Amino acid sequence: MIVRLLLLLVVSCEAYASYVDKAKRRGTPPKDLGVLKRTINEQSIDADPVTFSGLRGCDGKPNCFSTTGDSLLEDRILTGVDTLISPWRPPADDPAPFKTLASAVKEYKPGQSFIDGGGFAVVKETDSYLYVQFEALKKGYIDDVEFAMAGGREQGIQVRSSSRVGQTDFGVNAIRLNAIAASLRAKGWAIDEITPKTHQDYFYAADDARDQTFDKDRRKGTEMENGRMDRPAIG
């Protein structure tokens, strides 16, 4: 049973109420979510195919991050932008790392950095798998976010965060994962931050989308984004 957690700690109840009855674009969830048999490097010339149990990869659009992806950068960018991230690694002294992760996800505050104002729903949770749907406030876009411990703890936690609709996500998936990761780093976890240096093409697409939108709410927050609000929008 899906438990809808409308944790409006940052976004006011009045703001949510003004959009709750509006038409939503939730999109269609992928049919192959979860821990399944996956193969990477299938089309690579220089890397051998590898088959394993894990989460779904991304489709090359700049609206997704996953720990599943081809090994070589040149192979990943043949189908789009590089969206591969490293597994999240818990500290050796954490006796129940997946439980720690699940708690950090549930403590996430919708509305921070002007994203996920519609709240989130824990769709499925086991001792080694967590599937959560995050909802945008205005148009109800749903992002599918998964975490899995499919191997030993030395292999880390697999992660996937992806939008269902559109080409770019305005940086939402990076903001969300970085926020959850920051709370875990404070507990000793080793997690790489997603930045314009690590994923240049993803952030270029997000910044370009902000430049071309009239929705100023998407361009609030950082000094760079606020500067864009003075520039004419396109389209």
Side-chain angles (χ1 to χ4, degrees):
M1 178 179 180
I2 296 177
V3 179
R4 175 62 61 183
L5 302 176
L6 297 177
L7 305 178
L8 303 178
L9 301 177
V10 179
V11 180
S12 69
C13 293
E14 291 79 7
Y16 181 78
S18 65
Y19 294 105
V20 69
D21 294 327
K22 302 292 185 182
K24 305 298 183 182
R25 294 187 60 196
R26 293 190 168 90
T28 304
K31 296 180 180 179
D32 60 343
L33 296 180
V35 178
L36 301 173
K37 184 179 179 180
R38 316 283 182 183
T39 301
I40 59 173
N41 307 332
E42 290 183 283
Q43 306 299 322
S44 179
I45 296 176
D46 298 317
D48 295 329
V50 177
T51 300
F52 61 97
S53 293
L55 300 179
R56 191 178 192 271
C58 295
D59 297 328
K61 295 180 180 180
N63 63 7
C64 173
F65 289 101
S66 178
T67 51
T68 297
D70 286 344
S71 301
L72 302 178
L73 174 61
E74 53 264 38
D75 292 329
R76 297 197 295 273
I77 63 177
L78 285 176
T79 55
V81 305
D82 180 21
T83 52
L84 182 69
I85 57 176
S86 298
W88 292 8
R89 302 190 180 282
D93 60 354
D94 188 334
F98 203 81
K99 183 176 294 186
T100 301
L101 169 74
S103 295
V105 173
K106 294 173 185 177
E107 291 169 0
Y108 173 84
K109 294 180 174 57
Q112 55 85 33
S113 298
F114 303 97
I115 69 168
D116 300 328
F120 62 86
V122 176
V123 180
K124 184 177 180 179
E125 180 178 6
T126 71
D127 292 340
S128 59
Y129 177 75
L130 180 66
Y131 171 31
V132 185
Q133 294 176 355
F134 290 81
E135 182 177 327
L137 175 62
K138 293 184 177 180
K139 296 185 179 179
Y141 296 120
I142 296 292
D143 287 356
D144 299 295
V145 182
E146 301 173 278
F147 302 90
M149 180 177 280
R153 64 182 296 151
E154 66 278 359
Q155 298 180 28
I157 305 294
Q158 296 185 31
V159 180
R160 183 178 186 271
S161 180
S162 179
S163 302
R164 295 178 181 176
V165 178
Q167 178 68 20
T168 182
D169 64 357
F170 294 88
V172 168
N173 286 283
I175 293 170
R176 179 188 304 117
L177 289 181
N178 281 337
I180 297 171
S183 67
L184 289 170
R185 284 194 208 97
K187 301 178 186 297
W189 286 57
I191 305 173
D192 295 336
E193 185 177 8
I194 301 170
T195 70
K197 185 175 181 180
T198 63
H199 294 83
Q200 180 178 359
D201 291 340
Y202 168 87
F203 281 95
Y204 179 87
D207 290 342
D208 185 59
R210 292 188 186 98
D211 282 344
Q212 298 187 50
T213 183
F214 285 101
D215 186 351
K216 290 186 177 182
D217 285 346
R218 291 191 181 275
R219 297 174 355 201
K220 291 178 181 177
T222 68
E223 181 178 349
M224 180 173 62
E225 290 169 351
N226 289 336
R228 285 195 177 88
M229 293 175 68
D230 298 325
R231 297 168 56 182
I234 302 173

